[in-house]
């Protein structure tokens, strides 16, 4: 599990770059087909990350991944951090950092 470099800022820097690139193209060529493609990309990335990648990493790396996900944002720094479960309670990552 890589947690340094760009992965220390966001958990999915490659997907973030893909979305930023297609968003730029959408601004350059603002037509319905490009906007539809952008929406499909965002939906596909969300499905891949939330339903496939994150559950797999949580199974493989357990508590180490949970701690990483609690401190690093999903696509943007600090945004989309995972909730932390402590003593049977679900807490937001922001309140459980201390």
């Amino acid at each position: 599990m890589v947690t340094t470099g760009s992965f220390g800022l966001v958990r999915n820097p490659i997907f973030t770059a893909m979305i930023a690139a297609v968003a730029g193209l959408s601004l350059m060529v603002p037509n319905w087909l490009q906007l539809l493609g952008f929406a499909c990309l965002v939906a596909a990335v969300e499905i891949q990350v939330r339903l496939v990648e994150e559950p797999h990493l949580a199974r493989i790396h357990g508590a180490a991944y949970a701690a990483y996900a609690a401190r690093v944002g999903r696509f943007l720094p600090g945004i989309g951090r995972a909730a932390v479960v402590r003593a049977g309670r679900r807490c937001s990552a922001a309140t459980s950092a201390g």
Side-chain angles (χ1 to χ4, degrees), residues 21-71:
V22 176
L25 287 172
S26 296
L27 292 173
M28 290 172 45
V29 185
N31 61 48
W32 70 270
L33 187 57
Q34 181 62 32
L35 296 175
L36 178 64
F38 178 69
C40 288
L41 173 68
V42 170
V45 167
E46 286 287 341
I47 290 168
Q48 163 66 22
V49 169
R50 291 175 185 255
L51 300 180
V52 178
E53 189 173 303
E54 289 182 346
H56 173 73
L57 291 170
R59 278 192 308 273
I60 298 298
H61 299 289
Y65 180 74
Y68 171 64
R71 77 173 183 275

Side-chain angles (χ1 to χ4, degrees), residues 53-98:
E53 189 173 303
E54 289 182 346
H56 173 73
L57 291 170
R59 278 192 308 273
I60 298 298
H61 299 289
Y65 180 74
Y68 171 64
R71 77 173 183 275
V72 177
R74 183 178 282 127
F75 297 112
L76 297 171
I79 300 173
R81 291 182 295 173
V84 177
V85 177
R86 287 195 179 173
R89 289 186 349 185
R90 189 175 168 106
C91 306
S92 73
T95 60
S96 63

